[in-house]
Amino acid sequence: MSRKPPALFLLGPTASGKTAAALELASRLPVDIVSVDSAQVFRDMDIGTAKPDAATLARFPHRLVDLITPEERYSAARFREDALREMAAISAAGRVPLLVGGTMLYFKALREGLADLPAADPALRAAIDAEAVGRGWPALHAELARVDPATAARLDPADAQRIQRALEVVRLTGRTMGEFFAGHDRGGALPYDALAVALVPGDRAVLHARIAARFEAMLAGGLVEEVEGLRRRYRLDGTLPSMRCVGYRQVWDMLEGSLPAGALRDRGIFATRQFAKRQLTWLRTMDRVRIMDPLDRSTAGELAALCRAHCG
């Protein structure tokens, strides 16, 4: 039996240093980077997504970046299809795909395949949306926590798209998302020999400080102006996935008048910390992932050696 082609997965919470580590690997090894980021798929959303700048992208191209407009929607199913296509092209060129990002659902879909979930029900979705108008998404998140606590624990109380889908599945079938995935045959779903490494800072206080510094840098770099420009350029509303991204949601609320300008910094930092907490929750449910501490000085060398050995 021929060996599956190698692939590298580099994941972890926001502000853990994934991009810097990926660029260092790309300078040492024959790898091509594939982004695993549900926010970086949107064009013209650069500052709040921490998208690499033009010079970096010119030197180290990132696939699956800038795919759609902020008016559009992207799914885990589409990501899996896109990622497998890009990985195949990279392998065919004699190089190794390096998938980097923090969207854990995308990594899960890629590694395990997608369960045979029920098709969307437009009438039920409309009913859930109507409930959200009256009760608010946090209330629907609380309902989800009662009927599907495992899924609710991974979702932000304002994550309208995923809360809606999880409730839709339960109401249609009486089964949770986890039950569908548990019954899914995951064997051989990924046609690659993938090494998965997660960068998880051992000192949570350092991670929180990095998150605060990064959000402050985004504000100083023009995040508010970026969102104002997006509102002029596209037909957007606060329910779109693009405007539910961490940072963008808080700026949107400020521009809509529901968040005082003076509270933007603290609210954005808090939301990003909660996002990182959910990413870590996802990580704890994933198997075959090697954890490395980016704060350890030996990690960079050990990561490079590990990846080099895996690439063969």
Side-chain angles (χ1 to χ4, degrees):
M1 181 182 297
S2 61
R3 179 175 181 264
K4 293 179 181 178
L8 302 172
F9 291 175
L10 185 61
L11 54 161
T14 187
S16 60
K18 298 184 297 296
T19 297
L23 297 180
E24 179 64 20
L25 289 174
S27 70
R28 298 187 184 194
L29 303 175
V31 299
D32 288 346
I33 297 173
V34 180
S35 171
V36 186
D37 191 305
S38 62
Q40 292 187 2
V41 299
F42 295 111
R43 291 193 288 272
D44 299 320
M45 290 175 55
D46 303 329
I47 298 171
T49 65
K51 198 176 293 178
D53 60 29
T56 300
L57 290 175
R59 184 180 178 194
F60 301 105
H62 285 46
R63 302 177 187 229
L64 304 190
V65 167
D66 293 336
L67 298 181
I68 60 175
T69 75
E71 298 169 321
E72 299 176 88
R73 297 174 184 269
Y74 198 73
S75 68
R78 180 174 169 186
F79 166 78
R80 190 172 197 275
E81 179 181 341
D82 290 346
L84 288 173
R85 183 189 64 247
E86 297 297 342
M87 293 172 74
I90 292 168
S91 297
R95 296 176 64 80
V96 177
L98 168 59
L99 287 88
V100 184
T103 302
M104 303 304 170
L105 175 61
Y106 287 6
F107 275 114
K108 182 180 179 69
L110 184 59
R111 297 175 80 199
E112 301 176 1
L114 293 166
D116 188 18
L117 295 171
D121 184 312
L124 180 54
R125 289 193 169 191
I128 295 172
D129 283 339
E131 290 180 46
V133 171
R135 299 168 56 197
W137 286 108
L140 291 182
H141 180 269
E143 177 185 331
L144 181 64
R146 291 191 295 272
V147 298
D148 186 355
T151 298
R154 296 193 293 265
L155 300 182
D156 185 282
D159 190 342
Q161 182 182 18
R162 293 191 176 97
I163 293 170
Q164 179 195 62
R165 180 55 172 159
L167 282 174
E168 178 188 34
V169 168
V170 171
R171 293 183 186 183
L172 281 173
T173 69
R175 298 170 64 191
T176 67
M177 299 284 276
E179 288 171 333
F180 272 98
F181 279 104
H184 178 57
D185 180 8
R186 300 174 179 180
L190 182 67
Y192 288 87
D193 178 16
L195 169 68
V197 177
L199 297 181
V200 179
D203 188 338
R204 196 63 57 84
V206 174
L207 178 63
H208 291 169
R210 285 184 174 186
I211 286 171
R214 188 163 83 160
F215 191 73
E216 290 169 348
M218 288 175 178
L219 291 176
L223 176 58
V224 173
E225 293 77 11
E226 180 174 76
V227 178
E228 290 174 333
L230 292 169
R231 284 160 63 98
R232 290 191 299 268
R233 192 173 307 122
Y234 300 103
R235 297 179 61 182
L236 302 176
D237 63 66
T239 68
L240 285 168
S242 61
M243 292 300 105
R244 305 309 296 174
C245 293
V246 173
Y248 291 91
R249 178 169 70 242
Q250 288 70 42
V251 175
W252 180 278
D253 288 345
M254 185 198 73
L255 295 175
E256 289 289 296
S258 59
L259 177 67
L264 175 60
R265 173 194 173 275
D266 289 345
R267 188 70 63 84
I269 291 172
F270 176 77
T272 309
R273 286 175 59 172
Q274 291 300 106
F275 177 54
K277 182 179 179 180
R278 292 191 300 277
Q279 290 173 306
L280 291 169
T281 298
W282 269 102
L283 270 173
R284 285 193 290 272
T285 70
M286 300 172 72
D287 57 6
R288 306 187 311 280
V289 177
R290 178 161 179 167
I291 306 296
M292 303 186 79
D293 188 346
L295 305 180
D296 188 325
R297 292 184 179 180
S298 65
T299 291
E302 291 177 3
L303 177 62
L306 187 66
C307 293
R308 182 179 293 109
H310 186 75
C311 292

